Amino acid sequence: MEQRILSILVDNTAGVLSRVAGLFSRRGYNIDSLTVGVTADPKFSRMTVVCSGDELILEQITKQLEKLVDVRDIKVLAPGNSVNRELILVKIKAGVAERQNVISIADVFRAKIVDIGKDSLIVELTGDKSKLEAFISLLEGYEILELARTGLTGLSRGADDVRFL
């Protein structure tokens, strides 16, 4: 099964997320990751959708998305021609004795300590999936109290395929 990352430029209107997600659910396709945010132009939002399937299914997803009225542009973010990132926040149980060890691990990954409490701290880390997974695996000796992930977001490299509406 292949995985594809789609960068979808849509109108920033009520219900557009529901219509895109509904397209996937009606056809029985799964969304592995979904992020949405307004662009530099507030009339538009950018959705980054990660989906899986064989080549036929992935092509069908793209064709069906192109038919939606709110969709303005779709780009496939190829691994070598795009920059993709994900953000995680990890709340780790760490008293005074463990705190410095966790901070040392975070420093290796260029993570930020965004909150320190009496018995826990919150680490913010941005990177690709392998970097985030490596960080989490190094925390196995510590109790992870909570973890939140944003999902993948990305842009294609260069200015050649930028679409101005």
Side-chain angles (χ1 to χ4, degrees), residues 134-154:
F135 177 71
I136 292 169
S137 72
L138 285 178
L139 295 176
E140 283 182 3
Y142 302 94
E143 183 179 352
I144 295 176
L145 300 172
E146 291 182 279
L147 187 140
R149 292 180 93 138
T150 60
L152 196 71
T153 191

Side-chain angles (χ1 to χ4, degrees), residues 36-165:
V36 184
V38 69
T39 64
D41 184 345
K43 293 186 293 189
F44 304 104
S45 291
R46 181 167 312 281
M47 293 183 174
T48 306
V49 179
V50 181
C51 47
S52 301
D54 60 30
E55 186 63 32
L56 185 64
I57 288 173
L58 295 173
E59 287 302 318
Q60 190 64 32
I61 289 170
T62 304
K63 287 177 184 176
Q64 293 297 316
L65 286 168
E66 288 171 344
K67 292 179 182 179
L68 293 177
V69 174
D70 299 307
V71 173
R72 298 295 172 200
D73 188 39
I74 300 173
K75 293 180 197 169
V76 176
L77 299 181
N81 295 327
S82 63
V83 176
N84 303 303
R85 296 289 184 268
E86 187 175 355
L87 169 94
I88 60 170
L89 293 173
V90 185
K91 186 185 294 182
I92 304 158
K93 184 175 183 177
V96 176
E98 300 95 7
R99 191 170 295 148
Q100 191 54 50
N101 291 337
V102 173
I103 291 171
S104 295
I105 293 170
D107 287 343
V108 169
F109 286 86
R110 293 189 209 123
K112 287 190 224 175
I113 308 300
V114 293
D115 184 66
I116 297 179
K118 191 169 66 171
D119 57 354
S120 68
L121 51 89
I122 299 176
V123 179
E124 173 188 306
L125 178 61
T126 304
D128 61 20
K129 184 177 181 176
S130 63
K131 179 180 180 179
L132 303 182
E133 296 298 331
F135 177 71
I136 292 169
S137 72
L138 285 178
L139 295 176
E140 283 182 3
Y142 302 94
E143 183 179 352
I144 295 176
L145 300 172
E146 291 182 279
L147 187 140
R149 292 180 93 138
T150 60
L152 196 71
T153 191
L155 293 173
S156 59
R157 293 184 187 275
D160 295 338
D161 65 348
V162 174
R163 182 169 176 198
F164 297 99
L165 300 175

